[in-house]
Amino acid sequence: MDFQYWAVQIEKMPRSELETLQLQKLKAQVDLALRTPFYKERLTKIGIKSKDDIKTLDDLNRIPFTSKNDLRDGFPYGFLAIPKEEVVRLHASSGTTGTPTTIYFSRDDIKRWADYMARCIYSTGCDKNDVFQNMITYGLFTGGLGFHQGGEEVGMLVIPAGAGNTARQFKMMQDYGTTVLHATPSFLLHLETKMREAGVSRESLSIKRAFAGAEPYSEDTRLRIEALLKVDVYNSYGLSEMNGPGVAFECQCKDGLHIWEDGYIAEIVDPNTLQPVKEGEIGELVLTILCREATPLLRYRTRDLTSFYTEPCKCGRTHRRLHRITGRSDDMLIINGVNVFPSQIEEVIMGMKEVGNNYLIIVEKDGALDKLTVKTEVISDIFMDDTRPLNALKEKIKETLQASISISPKVELHESGSLPISEGKAVRVQDKRPKDV
Ligand code: ADP
Ligand code: ZN
């Protein structure tokens, strides 16, 4: 394979040099952090009064974690490290798990972010000859403008399509000869359903690649999108607290996401004990941003669950790889005492060829017990009035889920394209149980 690198010296930098660079940047971040009301209090309390108190990367361990709640408490300007007149933009998280958090950018922050995004996009084999249709929400959400700037930086022709409206999306793809897409994996699947419904032929499109991110998805879902849309799908990971997209991205090997370690220090900890997990084990990703001056964040608990690859990648990049994020630690459902991650359910159902492109997980109370219902669409080749294959599929889903998560759910099958789809991140879980007060 012919690999291409946007910033070859940094992407292939020997690890020892990379760590020296991290230390130098960490010191600068600590200096900036000391200018924010939040960290000034926190860091001085533990005896860190200037960057000179950080001597090695291990000194990072002395710094307490920062949580999403800290950011909420510090709203609106408690984490601002530069004068407000130097700030040129703000973004906010999607608010998937509560009040959104706000992040500020200086002009240089925006430039650096665009550069990291360009690095990601270029590492998948794209270049200035590509036409890039960015089918994700613009606005406060970082996915829109983040990819937009990165695409322009690479020199691609960027179409700021925004999310939704599949008919318009197909028209743009045909009119402009789009070669690259960016969307959530759920929207890419939805797009394929709509493509069939509208009779749009794949041959009328020039798409080759798609970036899919902003929500968890399984390897089976990637393979499904690749087979249906006939594109190469690359996983994109980021979060608004760490700028947005551009934190970790798959290269052409499509085997794990390189986390840009000159921009982020990554740790993986046990979410209960907060101690580092053993090499290669799953835990919560904790990130320290090294590439933003307006809003420094030290040891930010992402709540995202992942693990490091222990082997280097074939592409020659020295930056470590993360396994695909399986979900957030707070996504875990406890169903009749059994711990279940929605991603475990997705893995089972998306691997079945009879299952369509969308599904929903519902948990409710049935007397004293919890009841799990899995609603999935079926592929359009199965007729909804033909009960035999439908019953067989229901049984198959039930048995496979019983084997993998030890729960036998109620299974409901729905016609292709009939389950609700959201414009932003997919909302796949409805937990209707009363909340404990
Ligand atoms: P919110 O936390 O409110 O959803 P963001 O828009 O900042 O706000 O979303 C970031 C979160 O989205 C990440 O912390 C992660 O949980 C999820 N996410 C983003 N990209 C991926 C991906 N490729 N795989 C799995 N989850 C992802
Ligand atoms: Zn690689």
Side-chain angles (χ1 to χ4, degrees), residues 12 35 52 76-77 92 94 153 163 187 219 238-239 280 293 309 325 348 368-369 386 390:
K12 289 179 143 187
R35 293 181 212 165
D52 298 333
Y77 292 120
S94 317
E153 190 65 27
F187 188 73
E219 187 60 25
L239 59 162
E293 60 184 349
Y309 278 65
I325 281 88
V348 167
L369 291 178
D386 194 355
L390 291 180

Side-chain angles (χ1 to χ4, degrees), residues 68 93-97 141-142 212-217 235-241 257 302 304 325 328 425:
K68 208 165 186 121
S93 69
S94 317
T96 311
T97 57
F141 177 59
T142 51
E215 62 189 26
Y217 60 113
N235 197 349
S236 150
Y237 169 77
L239 59 162
S240 55
E241 293 84 355
L257 302 95
T302 65
D304 293 327
I325 281 88
R328 310 188 200 217
K425 297 175 189 242

Side-chain angles (χ1 to χ4, degrees), residues 52-115:
D52 298 333
D53 294 314
I54 302 290
K55 296 196 167 57
T56 69
L57 280 177
D58 284 341
D59 284 330
L60 186 62
N61 298 332
R62 292 167 55 200
I63 299 175
F65 296 101
T66 303
S67 69
K68 208 165 186 121
N69 275 338
D70 291 329
L71 271 178
R72 286 175 183 147
D73 292 346
F75 181 82
Y77 292 120
F79 283 82
L80 192 61
I82 59 170
K84 219 157 60 197
E85 63 268 25
E86 303 295 324
V87 175
V88 299
R89 197 193 299 164
L90 66 78
H91 276 286
S93 69
S94 317
T96 311
T97 57
T99 324
T101 49
T102 307
I103 298 295
Y104 303 92
F105 297 81
S106 71
R107 199 178 297 281
D108 284 343
D109 290 340
I110 298 277
K111 278 197 205 134
R112 276 187 286 263
W113 181 21
D115 196 56

Side-chain angles (χ1 to χ4, degrees), residues 3 250-253 255-256 258 313-317 321:
F3 297 114
E250 280 181 332
C251 70
Q252 275 171 297
C253 299
D255 187 15
H258 287 283
C313 186
K314 292 193 191 72
C315 71
R317 289 181 177 83
R321 283 172 297 161

Side-chain angles (χ1 to χ4, degrees), residues 34 43-44 81 210 231 245 301 310 332 339 353 371 376 396:
L34 283 163
L43 296 180
T44 44
V231 290
R301 289 189 60 179
T310 48
M332 192 179 76
N339 298 348
K353 62 179 189 333
K371 186 173 96 183
T376 83
K396 184 167 151 188

